């Protein structure tokens, strides 16, 4: 794919530390090219977030930023406006410059909902979320504030107790959905997983190169489950393989990544995103790696 950049080209970028591994450039540039837009997308390795935000205002052609680890919280300090859902989540992954103002939102939440609902409905279902970190926050607030699951149960490591307490305290004023938390151990897994319908894994366990790691024993899954792992490398984690072996429906992290990127594309360009083109670009890049 050859990208032509001119003096009039609108630039979008991903900022993170590190950022060289990001698949966002190949995904967004494929979409820009498919739609014939004079846009280009690059990766910026950023350590000083305050200066990066100021630089966005200084560069006239710079329209949008994707924000990845570890900057999703700090970037909020330098924005003029934050969407209500991103404010609740406490993290921004998308920044748009409009009339000299920086506006932040969180499309990770949208991406998670779209990924799950491409397979099943959420309302009325018991949802188990493995983990209480930043990704878990985005998924949980999307479920609790935008949909009506029967309940949400968090399973987490004992060392994350304070993080879990904080997450539940932040969520409860904004939803009527019952929310529970349990330290992850054999008893908690056995009492929770079989009684749920949707299981969402938000930790790095099972991500390349540690592909033989998994938090949930295979015998706890069944045909009743939809299992969503936000990891996309490998494309089928041990968690998903175990779930699939027991007849569960599975989703890896590619749909969430593509849907959140598609929503960014829509925000920045005002054009309907070519989601199929974006998905193919991501899969092709993963295949090459």
């Amino acid at each position: 794919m050859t990208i032509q950049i001119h003096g009039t080209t609108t630039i979008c970028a991903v900022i993170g530390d590190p950022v060289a591994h990001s698949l966002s450039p190949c995904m967004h540039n494929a979409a820009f090219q498919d739609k014939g837009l004079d846009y280009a997308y690059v990766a910026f390795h950023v350590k000083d977030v305050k200066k990066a935000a100021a630089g966005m205002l200084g560069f006239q052609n710079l329209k949008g930023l994707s924000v990845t680890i570890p900057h999703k919280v700090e970037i909020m300090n330098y924005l003029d406006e934050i969407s209500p859902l991103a404010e609740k989540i406490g993290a921004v992954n998308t920044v748009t410059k409009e009339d000299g103002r920086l506006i932040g939102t969180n499309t990770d939440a949208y991406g998670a909902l779209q990924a799950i609902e491409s397979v099943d409905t959420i309302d009325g279902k018991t949802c188990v979320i493995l983990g209480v970190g930043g990704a878990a926050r985005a998924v949980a607030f999307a479920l609790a504030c935008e949909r009506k699951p029967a309940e949400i149960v968090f399973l987490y490591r004992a060392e994350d107790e304070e993080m879990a307490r904080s997450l539940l305290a932040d969520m409860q004023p904004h939803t009527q959905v019952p929310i529970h938390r349990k330290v992850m151990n054999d008893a908690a897994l056995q009492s929770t997983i079989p009684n749920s319908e949707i299981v969402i894994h938000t930790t790095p366990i099972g991500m390349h190169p540690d592909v033989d790691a998994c938090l949930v024993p295979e015998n706890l899954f069944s045909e009743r489950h939809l299992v969503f792992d936000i990891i996309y490398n490998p494309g089928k984690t041990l968690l998903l393989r175990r779930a699939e072996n027991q007849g569960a429906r599975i989703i890896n992290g590619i749909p969430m990544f593509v849907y959140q990127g598609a929503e960014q594309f829509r925000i920045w360009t005002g054009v309907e995103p070519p989601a199929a083109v974006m998905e193919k670009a991501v899969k092709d890049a993963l295949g090459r790696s």
Side-chain angles (χ1 to χ4, degrees):
M1 177 174 59
T2 302
I3 301 167
Q4 298 295 325
I5 298 179
H6 313 280
T8 57
T9 300
T10 298
I11 303 297
C12 298
V14 56
I15 62 169
D17 180 24
V19 78
H21 66 286
S22 176
L23 298 181
S24 293
C26 71
M27 177 175 69
H28 280 291
N29 284 320
F32 294 149
Q33 187 175 59
D34 181 77
K35 291 294 184 177
L37 300 176
D38 187 17
Y39 276 65
Y41 188 105
V42 297
F44 291 147
H45 186 183
V46 167
K47 291 186 176 294
D48 191 321
V49 181
K50 183 177 181 179
K51 288 181 179 178
M56 189 177 185
L57 291 171
F59 288 103
Q60 292 302 307
N61 286 23
L62 189 53
K63 171 70 174 180
L65 293 180
S66 305
V67 185
T68 190
I69 296 171
H71 301 323
K72 293 184 182 184
V73 176
E74 185 182 353
I75 190 67
M76 298 175 73
N77 297 324
Y78 313 115
L79 304 179
D80 300 296
E81 181 182 332
I82 300 171
S83 73
L85 183 57
E87 192 78 64
K88 293 172 188 173
I89 293 170
V92 160
N93 81 315
T94 306
V95 179
T96 308
K97 183 170 65 180
E98 294 184 6
D99 300 323
R101 302 174 73 248
L102 300 183
I103 301 170
T105 189
N106 191 304
T107 66
D108 286 333
Y110 172 86
L113 290 181
Q114 292 299 307
I116 295 168
E117 291 181 332
S118 69
V119 178
D120 200 356
T121 58
I122 294 168
D123 292 357
K125 306 289 175 59
T126 295
C127 299
V128 173
I129 299 178
L130 304 172
V132 289
R137 289 185 69 95
V139 172
F141 271 97
L143 292 174
C145 298
E146 303 294 318
R147 299 295 185 267
K148 296 179 180 179
E151 65 176 331
I152 297 173
V153 183
F154 290 95
L155 296 177
Y156 55 93
R157 300 175 304 171
E159 54 263 41
D160 293 331
E161 177 68 31
E162 186 55 40
M163 194 182 302
R165 289 178 183 272
S166 175
L167 175 53
L168 265 67
D170 290 345
M171 289 183 67
Q172 285 168 338
H174 302 292
T175 181
Q176 299 300 311
V177 174
I179 306 171
H180 311 284
R181 59 183 176 84
K182 298 179 181 180
V183 173
M184 194 184 311
N185 53 38
D186 289 345
L189 287 165
Q190 290 169 9
S191 66
T192 304
I193 299 294
N195 297 313
S196 64
E197 285 85 27
I198 299 175
V199 178
I200 305 165
H201 176 235
T202 68
T203 86
I205 301 298
M207 182 184 295
H208 182 80
D210 298 320
V211 297
D212 294 326
C214 183
L215 294 172
V216 183
E218 184 170 311
N219 66 341
L220 298 185
F221 293 119
S222 70
E223 294 178 356
R224 68 181 283 152
H225 286 112
L226 170 61
V227 181
F228 172 33
D229 194 334
I230 70 168
I231 292 171
Y232 56 75
N233 188 14
K236 191 179 288 185
T237 59
L238 181 55
L239 177 77
L240 293 183
R241 296 201 307 272
R242 287 179 172 180
E244 187 176 48
N245 288 343
Q246 298 301 313
R249 293 160 296 164
I250 62 171
I251 315 170
N252 68 12
I254 291 177
M256 177 178 171
F257 181 65
V258 171
Y259 283 127
Q260 66 81 27
E263 185 64 11
Q264 291 177 330
F265 181 96
R266 183 182 288 110
I267 291 169
W268 295 331
T269 68
V271 175
E272 185 65 21
V277 170
M278 299 172 82
E279 181 177 6
K280 183 178 185 302
V282 171
K283 289 181 175 178
D284 287 348
L286 286 170
R288 289 192 296 271
S289 65

